[in-house]
Amino acid sequence: MKKVLLIGASSGIGLALTKLMLENDYKVCGCGRNEEALRKIQTEYPAAFNYQILDVRQTETLEGKLEKAVSRLGGMDICVISSGISVRNPDLEWEIERSMIETNVTGFSRAAVFAAN
């Protein structure tokens, strides 16, 4: 059984990928911000799914939380980084842009460095 660390598992494409992998006999540790959504998946797939609450924008704690997630899996064969946000921002308000950069660039990059090492 392949072990998958899936970052961004609680919504959108990450949630769809999580369910697809679980339906195809992968063991998955889903990471994300929405604990309620992650708990629901765990209820549906108790033997093959566990989760780690994290926010990729919190880079100072990200590595430690990802290490815990991999430990729960018993190792990692595959890492999928699906966390990301998109907000319509026609006025280019900085706080909205900063949140997208922290998630889609900084958080993604930090998670990718973790996965590569």
Side-chain angles (χ1 to χ4, degrees):
M1 179 179 286
K2 294 280 186 182
K3 301 170 190 168
V4 180
L5 176 65
L6 207 147
I7 304 165
S10 60
S11 65
I13 294 169
L15 177 58
L17 285 172
T18 297
K19 290 183 176 184
L20 182 65
M21 289 180 172
L22 289 165
E23 290 166 4
N24 285 282
D25 299 321
Y26 288 78
K27 183 176 179 183
V28 178
C29 184
C31 301
R33 294 181 291 171
N34 186 335
E35 186 169 9
E36 183 179 329
L38 295 170
R39 248 193 237 145
K40 183 178 177 190
I41 301 166
Q42 188 175 44
T43 301
E44 295 171 17
Y45 301 92
F49 182 81
N50 57 65
Y51 65 88
Q52 173 67 48
I53 299 302
L54 63 78
D55 184 336
V56 296
R57 295 174 297 180
Q58 297 172 343
T59 56
E60 65 282 351
T61 60
L62 186 60
E63 185 173 340
K65 290 182 177 183
L66 291 173
E67 286 172 354
K68 286 180 185 176
V70 171
S71 178
R72 288 186 180 137
L73 272 173
M76 175 180 66
D77 298 309
I78 301 167
C79 179
V80 176
I81 307 169
S82 184
S83 57
I85 58 172
S86 177
V87 178
R88 184 165 155 65
N89 187 18
D91 296 327
L92 295 175
E93 294 176 42
W94 174 243
E95 288 305 314
I96 295 171
E97 293 301 310
R98 179 170 49 180
S99 181
M100 286 192 290
I101 291 166
E102 288 173 351
T103 301
N104 301 342
V105 179
T106 308
F108 174 90
S109 298
R110 186 65 193 102
V113 167
F114 172 84
N117 292 320

